[in-house]
Amino acid sequence: MDKFVIHGGYHLEGTVSVSGAKNSTLALMPATLLANGVYHLFNTPHLRDVKTMSDLLHTMGVEVSLNDHVLRIDTRGIQKFEAPYELVKKMRASIYVLGPLVGRFGEAKVSLPGGCAWGPRPVNLHIEGIRKLGATVELDAGYIVARAQRLHGARILFDISSVGATGNVLMAAVLAKGTTLIENAAQEPEIVQLAEFLVSMGAKIHGIGTGRLEVEGVDELHPADVTTIPDRIETGTFLIAGALAGKKHGVVRVEQCNPQHVGALLVKLEDAGASISVGDNWIEIVPPEEIRPVNVTTAIYPGFPTDMQAQWIALMTRSTGTSVITDTIYYDRFMHVPELQRLGANITMKDNIATVVGVPKLIGATVMSTDLRASASLILAGLVAEGTTEVLRVYHIDRGYESVEKKLQLLGARIERVEYDEFG
Ligand code: EPZ
């Protein structure tokens, strides 16, 4: 098992490039189940979650290989329509195979994903949506078992805007007989890319980028290639690193990113006193003289993303005042708070609201990663904590950040990956 050993107090400056978006890749990969053939997904990040999704498709008879960020998928050998518990428990996004399998093959057996580090992760919206398209869906011994002759169009309204449920129902609807209307659809860039990819495969989808998607079912789709959009959460994480640990009057430049996808964060970083300049595919941040306290409430896209909440709290631990961070998407996504408190952060929790009182300094300590974005916030705090911080169980961060320590080293951080025996 690996840990990161971080020597705090080294300022960051320079240029870092962002990898392809994890949450786009995890939707694009199952979409290839909708048509036989060979696909190439360019700009695919080398992540644990991509490996897990690859393993899942492989168990179905699909050939998957990733070389130098090009993911080649050959679906001509698909023969199994099941997602086993052993893989689904590692990654909730495995449920994305449900829609394409039942939409194209009329059958799917997918393990219920269970919870994650910060609490329950229901899938009722996925199931209700697939049922409305005409599938029979039973829960049997921890598995979702879906069957259909051929799905038919339906009008579906999501009571909660859900990224995963929108993606699953969209992938189920493209081969259904008739027209499907999805109201209150998620508008995240990853869902926009999924819809555009499906259209490039021959699907007929209108309203892409809005909360109202209209799908005209077709009888058959064909393979296509796609270049994955940049990861907006990795982009935001490096920008917060720049705001937190940037060199006085120095610049951290994030390249191969899409500034349009991080608009909410850029506003909040300027509110906190950073200077931001943007180009087509780059963003530069000059750190604030002093970090101003800025309240944040997470929201669905294009609001402030819940996936940036932990990183924002890390920034606010070093602000000159008090800030209030509210997560309206996941009420209990605060496993990073007790770990940040070990570094000397002054944070109090009430329900889904964190009140952060900035402190003059953080003191390095050993802290535990619990989930992907919590790990990111602990690394950020370690960059500015006095002394040495050890972040344990970095397999969590390897799920969603490609070679994060190498990218931070490029910016001047003193961080190294060290193997350790946690139970030794
Ligand atoms: C996606 O998860 C992302 N994962 C998450 O990123 C992200 O935090 C989340 O969207 C919100 O933006 C991937 O794209 C692989 P949701 P997803 O369905 O689809 C509730 C990361 O760090 N809900 O949009 O699972 C749910 O409990 C990960 O990269 C239901 O009630 O999220 C939550 O409160 C973590 N019933 C809200 O909707 C359902 O059937 C939004 O969840 C589904 C969701």
Side-chain angles (χ1 to χ4, degrees):
M1 195 177 291
D2 291 350
K3 64 184 173 182
F4 283 149
V5 178
I6 304 168
H7 303 286
Y10 288 78
H11 292 301
L12 304 185
E13 188 173 31
T15 299
V16 64
S17 291
V18 164
S19 301
K22 166 177 84 79
N23 293 345
S24 191
T25 301
L26 294 179
L28 296 172
M29 292 174 76
T32 65
L33 297 171
L34 287 162
N36 270 6
V38 177
Y39 302 72
H40 297 91
L41 278 59
F42 300 102
N43 195 36
T44 296
H46 289 251
L47 302 171
R48 282 171 60 95
D49 276 5
V50 173
K51 175 73 172 62
T52 302
M53 185 62 84
S54 301
D55 293 347
L56 175 56
L57 295 182
H58 186 69
T59 63
M60 295 175 185
V62 175
E63 280 178 32
V64 189
S65 59
L66 177 57
N67 292 295
D68 191 17
H69 302 95
V70 178
L71 188 69
R72 181 184 183 279
I73 297 179
D74 183 346
T75 55
R76 289 172 293 185
I78 188 166
Q79 57 197 1
K80 250 182 99 180
F81 311 128
E82 181 172 337
Y85 175 69
E86 295 68 34
L87 286 168
V88 177
K89 74 176 171 30
K90 287 167 70 176
M91 184 185 65
R92 165 188 166 72
S94 306
I95 193 164
Y96 264 142
V97 301
L98 175 65
L101 287 176
V102 73
R104 179 170 174 220
F105 302 103
E107 60 176 286
K109 184 177 178 186
V110 177
S111 168
L112 275 167
C116 71
W118 68 75
R121 300 283 295 275
V123 290
N124 57 309
L125 299 175
H126 298 243
I127 292 171
E128 287 156 21
I130 302 288
R131 276 193 176 125
K132 281 204 84 169
L133 292 170
T136 57
V137 182
E138 272 105 41
L139 300 186
D140 176 23
Y143 278 80
I144 301 166
V145 181
R147 282 193 181 75
Q149 282 305 319
R150 182 180 180 186
L151 296 179
H152 56 67
R155 294 170 66 89
I156 292 165
L157 164 68
F158 287 126
D159 293 340
I160 305 175
S161 171
S162 159
V163 173
T166 301
N168 236 334
V169 167
L170 189 56
M171 288 191 278
V174 291
L175 288 174
K177 185 169 178 49
T179 300
T180 295
L181 198 53
I182 306 174
E183 300 280 8
N184 198 20
Q187 302 175 52
E188 274 69 3
E190 296 75 25
I191 292 297
V192 169
Q193 173 150 61
L194 171 64
E196 289 170 344
F197 179 53
L198 292 169
V199 167
S200 74
M201 290 171 61
K204 291 182 179 165
I205 303 171
H206 308 284
I208 296 175
T210 74
R212 191 171 194 273
L213 296 175
E214 188 173 310
V215 184
E216 282 173 60
V218 295
D219 294 334
E220 198 174 13
L221 295 173
H222 55 76
D225 293 346
V226 63
T227 298
T228 304
I229 57 174
D231 194 307
R232 59 193 169 98
I233 307 302
E234 187 187 11
T235 300
T237 304
F238 287 125
L239 288 170
I240 289 186
L244 194 59
K247 194 168 188 173
K248 211 172 174 64
H249 312 304
V251 170
V252 166
R253 181 182 169 99
V254 180
E255 294 193 332
Q256 295 175 21
C257 66
N258 184 335
Q260 308 302 318
H261 291 166
V262 290
L265 175 69
L266 297 184
V267 172
K268 289 293 183 179
L269 284 169
E270 287 182 331
D271 292 349
S275 305
I276 302 277
S277 43
V278 302
D280 289 344
N281 64 353
W282 58 265
I283 301 168
E284 286 186 353
I285 181 168
V286 177
E289 293 292 330
E290 287 186 330
I291 298 167
R292 291 200 287 262
V294 175
N295 298 340
V296 156
T297 297
T298 67
I300 59 173
Y301 191 85
F304 191 97
T306 173
D307 291 354
M308 287 301 303
Q309 176 257 99
Q311 300 91 314
W312 189 262
I313 287 183
L315 178 64
M316 288 295 107
T317 64
R318 299 284 288 108
S319 78
T320 54
T322 300
S323 54
V324 176
I325 293 95
T326 306
D327 200 325
T328 66
I329 309 292
Y330 296 111
Y331 281 43
D332 35 21
R333 189 183 193 170
F334 293 97
M335 303 279 283
H336 39 287
V337 168
E339 299 302 316
L340 289 168
Q341 287 166 335
R342 285 180 49 73
L343 299 174
N346 180 345
I347 309 170
T348 48
M349 288 302 308
K350 185 169 179 351
D351 302 329
N352 61 325
I353 300 169
T355 301
V356 184
V357 179
V359 292
K361 62 181 175 179
L362 297 175
I363 311 293
T366 299
V367 288
M368 183 74 78
S369 295
T370 51
D371 57 272
L372 170 55
R373 307 303 175 184
S375 312
S377 80
L378 298 176
I379 291 168
L380 292 171
L383 291 174
V384 290
E386 263 188 18
T388 302
T389 296
E390 296 203 350
V391 181
L392 306 183
R393 299 184 183 173
V394 294
Y395 59 82
H396 286 291
I397 197 140
D398 290 333
R399 292 189 54 178
Y401 291 82
E402 181 181 326
S403 309
V404 68
E405 77 277 18
K406 294 196 179 81
K407 292 176 176 174
L408 288 170
Q409 285 162 0
L410 276 176
L411 292 175
R414 288 279 307 279
I415 175 173
E416 61 251 14
R417 181 184 292 260
V418 175
E419 196 172 339
Y420 75 108
D421 176 358
E422 182 151 300
F423 306 102

